[in-house]
Amino acid sequence: GIKHLEELADAGLETPAANQIELHPLCQKKELLAYMASKQIAPIAYSSLAPLSNWREGQQSAKEDRGGDVIVADVASKVGRSEAQ
């Protein structure tokens, strides 16, 4: 987070060009993104668009159902797509 980036600066280390963070519609981290933008640090998302309990029809996911799938399933149904799409 911001604290870790500030620790780098306080130690006199070079500001990173990019920072890999969890970033998707259910986890937006707006304050961190604003801070990174002010320091010209590019965000790199390491998560899928949303936590899916079933990423492929008929296949089980290693991820546990976290309850967020209701939103994804609803949107997928409305636009005629699978949750993964």
Side-chain angles (χ1 to χ4, degrees):
I2 294 172
K3 179 182 175 189
H4 293 116
L5 293 171
E6 288 175 340
E7 287 173 355
L8 291 173
D10 292 344
L13 299 172
E14 187 174 338
T15 301
N19 187 20
Q20 188 176 39
I21 59 174
E22 179 180 15
L23 190 61
H24 53 77
L26 302 177
C27 181
Q28 296 186 17
K29 301 186 181 184
K30 292 179 182 182
E31 185 178 346
L32 176 57
L33 289 172
Y35 178 85
M36 290 169 50
S38 75
K39 303 293 183 183
Q40 297 180 333
I41 302 171
I44 301 173
Y46 71 78
S47 185
S48 62
L49 291 175
L52 302 176
S53 62
N54 60 345
W55 63 277
R56 186 181 291 169
E57 295 295 324
Q59 300 288 321
Q60 287 190 333
S61 170
K63 295 182 179 182
E64 293 181 28
D65 185 0
R66 298 184 193 118
D69 293 348
V70 174
I71 297 168
V72 176
D74 185 45
V75 171
S77 175
K78 286 180 182 176
V79 298
R81 300 285 188 252
S82 73
E83 292 178 31
Q85 290 176 310

